[in-house]
Amino acid sequence: MRRVLFVNGPNLNLLGKRESSIYGEQSLTAINAEISHKANTENILIDFFQSNIEGELINCLHAADGEFSVVVINPGAYGHYSIAIRDAIAAISVPVIEVHLSNIAAREEFRHASVISAVCAGVIFGFGKNSYLLALEAAAMLMEGK
């Protein structure tokens, strides 16, 4: 089973409209299409989920356990303070890759730390939409045991 779930948190549904100088001009739908195209070339099945609601993200993570090989999550601002999402990631057996579009280390100080990074298999940030494509490559490596 080579299935990857991409989970996107709050405000990511506004990509392309919201602070495009930071987050880029492409919509989440357009980015998802690029991910799907690349996944098809690598024989990886992809699902997408987006919510602005913390509990829905947690329920999605719980449901991913045993159904997906890898989860890629862009928790948005929740990554900086949601112990509940951190605990949900720690509770599942599926490896999780944390992704951020912007370079969180170069932004406001409150964005420098992520409370979920320590329970993730890895973190990719600062490459805009390519952060997601790099995460797909990392997911493929995890599925191959590398």
Side-chain angles (χ1 to χ4, degrees):
M1 169 178 75
R2 288 172 49 96
R3 291 183 68 199
V4 178
L5 174 63
F6 280 79
V7 177
N8 285 283
N11 300 311
L12 291 162
N13 57 308
L14 298 177
L15 287 178
K17 300 175 190 172
R18 175 182 172 236
E19 298 176 280
S20 59
S21 63
I22 296 172
Y23 300 110
E25 296 183 3
Q26 277 192 302
S27 69
L28 184 58
T29 301
I31 292 170
N32 287 348
E34 286 190 43
I35 294 166
S36 291
H37 176 74
K38 182 171 180 159
N40 285 339
T41 65
E42 299 190 26
N43 233 7
I44 299 172
L45 297 173
I46 299 291
D47 281 338
F48 298 99
F49 180 80
Q50 189 279 324
S51 179
N52 296 315
I53 301 169
E54 184 177 28
E56 289 181 1
L57 296 168
I58 292 165
N59 288 341
C60 179
L61 289 165
H62 291 175
D65 202 16
E67 296 297 317
F68 292 89
S69 306
V70 179
V71 172
V72 175
I73 186 169
N74 183 339
Y78 286 137
H80 307 296
Y81 69 87
S82 178
I83 302 303
I85 290 176
R86 182 226 178 269
D87 289 350
I89 293 169
I92 62 175
S93 61
V94 179
V96 177
I97 299 169
E98 180 182 4
V99 168
H100 294 277
L101 294 164
S102 66
N103 181 349
I104 60 174
R107 297 195 54 203
E108 304 93 338
E109 188 161 336
F110 68 87
R111 295 186 196 273
H112 292 185
S114 167
V115 297
I116 73 167
S117 295
V119 293
C120 290
V123 180
I124 300 169
F125 62 86
F127 296 98
K129 69 172 183 169
N130 291 319
S131 293
Y132 288 105
L133 299 173
L134 291 167
L136 182 60
E137 289 181 32
M141 288 187 279
L142 285 173
M143 290 184 287
E144 293 167 9
K146 295 181 180 177

